[in-house]
Amino acid sequence: MDAWVVIDRKSITTRLVIPGWSILPHYFLSLFPKDNLIILNPFILDQNQWELYVKSTFINKKVRLKFQKLEQGFNLKINQVFIFSMGLQWVAQHAQELYRLPCDIVSPSTNYNAHEIDQMIINLNKSYPALLKAFYRRCFDSNSDWMWWKTNQLETHIDNNNSKILIDWLDIYGRIKVDIPDLKNINVWVDLNDKIGVKPSLNLEYTQINPIKGHILRCF
């Protein structure tokens, strides 16, 4: 069963979010401050750790954690899908039906360098805080955006991620090669100078391609 964070803000828009590698739910809470959110939560699986995480990051927010398969559905009707980074590989493996909904695919890579994946796994085993910090630093185009992440997100992401889970994700999804469907309902947001992964081809007839700066968005 998958773990989903459900936040009902009584909004007319409900966004289902598939995160990228190591990205925790509270980041999307600030990225989408008005939407109802249904967020895949594959990185915090221990119940005690989850409760501590919620207390420190979802202050005064009503948050539910649901364990179910995506096809079982939610009480909230999904209007929009947000697929981030390596979350694209998760969708390709588990939930290709999401491509039929209005989709924003952000910072996608069609595949990743196998040697880089192997090296990340080695470094995660040595010191996952150091590896995470170095990885996140590569995600930002500007020093100001990096300082925003460092101040508001870095510590929580280091404290609440788990090296074994991160290694498993890299080993499974980091080795999958995917293609982005060429559909009118899909918007791709990508920085072609982003050094993380192999960027998708832009020779698409229907899919809308939008430029961004950096790998992790500060606002959307």
Side-chain angles (χ1 to χ4, degrees):
M1 302 295 277
D2 298 316
W4 300 90
V5 178
V6 180
I7 300 167
D8 185 356
R9 291 174 166 139
K10 309 303 178 185
S11 171
I12 61 171
T13 300
T14 296
R15 193 179 299 264
L16 186 138
V17 176
I18 307 299
W21 179 79
S22 82
I23 305 297
L24 300 182
H26 72 283
Y27 162 67
F28 300 105
L29 197 71
S30 60
L31 191 64
F32 303 110
K34 296 180 180 179
D35 296 351
N36 304 325
L37 296 173
I38 302 168
I39 309 169
L40 179 67
N41 172 43
F43 303 116
I44 305 177
L45 302 181
D46 178 81
Q47 187 62 35
N48 291 330
Q49 184 188 2
W50 169 254
E51 290 173 2
L52 290 172
Y53 171 73
V54 168
K55 287 179 182 178
S56 64
T57 56
F58 292 92
I59 300 168
N60 298 324
K61 304 282 192 312
K62 290 186 178 179
V63 179
R64 290 183 293 132
L65 187 63
K66 298 195 65 159
F67 292 90
Q68 64 176 59
K69 291 295 182 182
L70 179 60
E71 57 267 22
Q72 291 178 268
F74 298 89
N75 291 332
L76 297 167
K77 181 182 178 182
I78 298 166
N79 311 104
Q80 192 78 25
V81 176
F82 186 88
I83 301 169
F84 179 63
S85 191
M86 201 178 284
L88 179 64
Q89 277 70 15
W90 188 93
V91 170
Q93 188 84 346
H94 300 290
Q96 291 191 28
E97 66 272 17
L98 293 179
Y99 294 137
R100 297 196 296 264
L101 295 170
C103 271
D104 294 298
I105 301 178
V106 177
S107 298
S109 297
T110 56
N111 60 292
Y112 298 87
N113 181 286
H115 175 72
E116 287 188 7
I117 294 292
D118 291 340
Q119 194 59 51
M120 286 180 73
I121 290 172
I122 290 170
N123 290 334
L124 278 164
N125 279 315
K126 290 179 179 177
S127 173
Y128 91 87
L131 183 280
L132 274 183
K133 185 175 181 180
F135 168 76
Y136 292 137
R137 181 63 188 92
R138 293 180 65 201
C139 290
F140 295 97
D141 179 70
S142 70
N143 285 330
S144 62
D145 285 348
W146 163 239
M147 289 308 297
W148 163 78
W149 181 269
K150 192 175 180 180
T151 302
N152 295 285
Q153 300 282 340
L154 180 62
E155 182 177 355
T156 305
H157 275 77
I158 288 176
D159 288 348
N160 291 282
N161 268 296
N162 174 289
S163 60
K164 182 184 183 305
I165 293 172
L166 294 181
I167 288 170
D168 287 346
W169 248 68
L170 282 178
D171 218 14
I172 296 170
Y173 302 110
R175 303 188 192 280
I176 296 175
K177 185 174 182 178
V178 301
D179 293 312
I180 295 175
D182 193 8
L183 300 171
K184 290 181 179 179
N185 58 293
I186 291 178
N187 277 279
V188 173
W189 305 78
V190 63
D191 180 351
L192 294 180
N193 295 315
D194 176 13
K195 297 180 177 62
I196 297 173
V198 178
K199 299 303 129 190
S201 168
L202 301 186
N203 297 321
L204 300 173
E205 184 176 357
Y206 300 110
T207 298
Q208 180 69 39
I209 307 295
N210 307 277
I212 59 174
K213 291 292 185 182
H215 189 81
I216 295 178
L217 297 174
R218 187 168 177 175
C219 60
F220 186 69

